[in-house]
Amino acid sequence: MPDSLPTGVKRAPLRVGDPAFEGIVERIAAASDAIEEQRRIPVDIAADMIDEGLFRLLVPRSLGSGEVDYLDYLAMVRAISAADGSTGWCFNQNNILGTMASLMPRPLAEEVWSDPRSVLCNGPPQFAQVTEVAGGYSLTGRWNFSSGSPQATWAVAINRVADATSMTFIIPKEQVTFYDSWLVNGLRGTGSFSFETKDLFVPASRAYNESKTPLEPGPLYLMPRSLFFGSGFGNVALGVARSALDLAREVAMRKTPQEQIALRDQPAVQADIGRAEALWGGAAAFLDRKASELWRSAVENGAISMDERMGLRLASTHAIRQSADVVDIAYGVFGANAIFETSPIQRKFQDAHAITQQIQGRPEFYQIAGQHILGLEPRGRFF
């Protein structure tokens, strides 16, 4: 790491088990109700996460950032998501956008990431119109699902064209107009607002077509961004499911319903808790193993195979789907109390099912993995 770092950037990124990281996780858990009500990470917690470098863990080391170990990163995603699913989602989304620094022109990467408080947000385009003008481009469009937009400082606007190529625009947040379109039941605290531009001039220095190969040598940048999102959101789902199952266990240990038989003594509840633990443990172990295999190849061989990519894709989607099943079981243990907004399991239920609706959780990835396993050419672009 270079001797001179941007002010506020830590020399060693935090990890699970570090007192500073665990302290932030505890604060996130304590603020979970406020995150749900305010529909964003509280300003003070977001600021402290930024100060600790927790939104730039995947930015290249050459830019004065963490470039943290991939497996350490996934463990952090899971831990934060167990405290609060929305915060874990933003943590993953905003961090993975940091890998864009390895694919954009170096002067732009330096402009964006020389500020230690830089955080990127983006979302898929609803529509975009680009006109080339003197010195740059005129951009009109709308982009939705921009998770983490409240704490972001830059907006990433992508214009996709018919031949599957795209141009990316990096825009200071104050130059776009945000709309509070995030009226949802699950992942309410992600602040996934929409943003628009109208005839916005974007200088050519802030627009680029991504390099086909990473401009940074680190193993992190060998991984397709879609797989980074998939494995990250798989761990968000596992974190949410882990906390839901822990809540169900606590309820079962102390609740005696009207029939006067303690939940812990009911055979059906005992079986549910055991089955949920098996489902969660299997999904977590599968994802951990596939992530470890891919990461080992990236570090030792400087390359990752299609088998490793497809294995991680399958394990990521499976973790998302199985986690929702685990939360459903936990929800049932709560009984009638689960339906109230004040019930802690209600938020876990909504968050888990919101994650299944995101593109990384689509069940058709089972089919794509099956195509590869059967020796067919897999169809799609998310591996």
Side-chain angles (χ1 to χ4, degrees):
M1 185 173 289
D3 291 333
S4 58
L5 295 176
T7 302
V9 176
K10 303 294 181 182
R11 287 189 171 272
L14 296 182
R15 290 175 171 82
V16 172
D18 290 344
F21 178 77
E22 298 301 331
I24 286 178
V25 170
E26 290 177 5
R27 289 173 60 199
I28 291 170
S32 187
D33 288 343
I35 293 168
E36 181 82 355
E37 181 180 349
Q38 298 171 15
R39 296 182 300 129
R40 61 166 295 167
I41 304 173
V43 173
D44 60 327
I45 293 178
D48 288 346
M49 292 176 71
I50 291 170
D51 286 343
E52 293 289 353
L54 289 178
F55 286 118
R56 55 188 297 145
L57 294 170
L58 306 179
V59 175
R61 186 175 294 110
S62 65
L63 293 169
S65 294
E67 198 172 326
V68 72
D69 179 277
Y70 170 59
L71 302 181
D72 287 342
Y73 170 74
L74 293 183
M76 296 170 78
V77 174
R78 191 181 298 179
I80 291 175
S81 301
D84 180 77
S86 291
T87 305
W89 185 276
C90 291
F91 175 77
N92 186 59
Q93 177 83 9
N94 296 143
N95 264 302
I96 290 174
L97 294 179
T99 66
M100 296 177 70
S102 71
L103 297 168
M104 65 175 61
R106 181 71 184 199
L108 178 56
E110 291 175 344
E111 178 187 8
V112 172
W113 297 108
S114 62
D115 180 358
R117 304 192 67 78
S118 285
V119 178
L120 273 59
C121 68
N122 83 323
Q126 179 175 325
F127 72 93
Q129 298 174 345
V130 179
T131 304
E132 193 167 353
V133 297
Y137 303 88
S138 176
L139 179 64
T140 296
R142 182 182 177 98
W143 294 262
N144 300 318
F145 301 102
S146 189
S147 299
S149 56
Q151 64 266 13
T153 56
W154 297 83
V156 179
I158 296 176
N159 176 44
R160 297 193 179 102
V161 294
D163 62 357
T165 62
S166 62
M167 175 166 282
T168 301
F169 300 86
I170 309 297
I171 308 168
K173 179 181 177 178
E174 62 271 14
Q175 293 183 8
V176 306
T177 302
F178 277 93
Y179 293 92
D180 184 357
S181 55
W182 196 237
L183 304 175
V184 296
N185 288 322
L187 299 175
R188 282 171 54 85
T190 59
S192 299
F193 303 146
S194 301
F195 66 87
E196 291 185 357
T197 63
K198 183 174 177 56
D199 300 324
L200 175 68
F201 174 73
V202 181
S205 61
R206 291 179 180 163
Y208 69 99
N209 290 309
E210 283 194 345
S211 170
K212 297 298 182 182
T213 56
L215 306 177
E216 292 284 335
L220 278 177
Y221 310 114
L222 297 173
M223 189 181 308
R225 196 154 59 238
S226 60
L227 281 183
F228 232 135
F229 278 124
S231 57
F233 289 144
N235 275 282
V236 174
L238 286 169
V240 171
R242 180 69 264 166
S243 60
L245 191 48
D246 290 344
L247 286 170
R249 180 180 179 274
E250 293 173 8
V251 166
M253 294 288 287
R254 60 177 168 77
K255 182 178 178 181
T256 300
Q258 292 180 1
E259 58 266 27
Q260 302 301 308
I261 301 174
L263 286 181
R264 65 180 296 181
D265 295 325
Q266 296 182 21
V269 172
Q270 296 164 359
D272 281 345
I273 294 296
R275 184 162 61 93
E277 283 288 354
L279 290 174
W280 189 91
F286 187 31
L287 181 51
D288 289 347
R289 179 163 65 89
K290 291 304 180 181
S292 296
E293 290 173 357
L294 184 144
W295 184 237
R296 186 182 308 113
S297 288
V299 172
E300 296 179 359
N301 305 326
I304 52 178
S305 69
M306 181 56 72
D307 282 346
E308 289 158 344
R309 292 185 183 200
M310 202 59 70
L312 185 59
R313 160 53 56 211
L314 179 59
S316 299
T317 298
H318 190 63
I320 292 172
R321 309 301 302 187
Q322 290 291 94
S323 291
D325 290 344
V326 169
V327 175
D328 285 351
I329 295 171
Y331 187 88
V333 171
F334 268 71
N337 291 337
I339 68 174
F340 292 95
E341 289 184 353
T342 54
S343 173
I345 198 63
Q346 179 64 216
R347 185 174 313 141
K348 307 296 182 183
F349 179 86
Q350 299 291 351
D351 287 352
H353 285 278
I355 296 170
T356 66
Q357 300 304 105
Q358 208 268 352
I359 195 167
Q360 302 293 341
R362 288 181 177 175
E364 55 258 39
F365 287 127
Y366 287 114
Q367 178 185 358
I368 291 173
Q371 291 167 352
H372 176 72
I373 293 167
L374 294 172
L376 302 173
E377 186 70 25
R379 294 186 293 272
R381 59 184 178 87
F382 291 95
F383 51 85

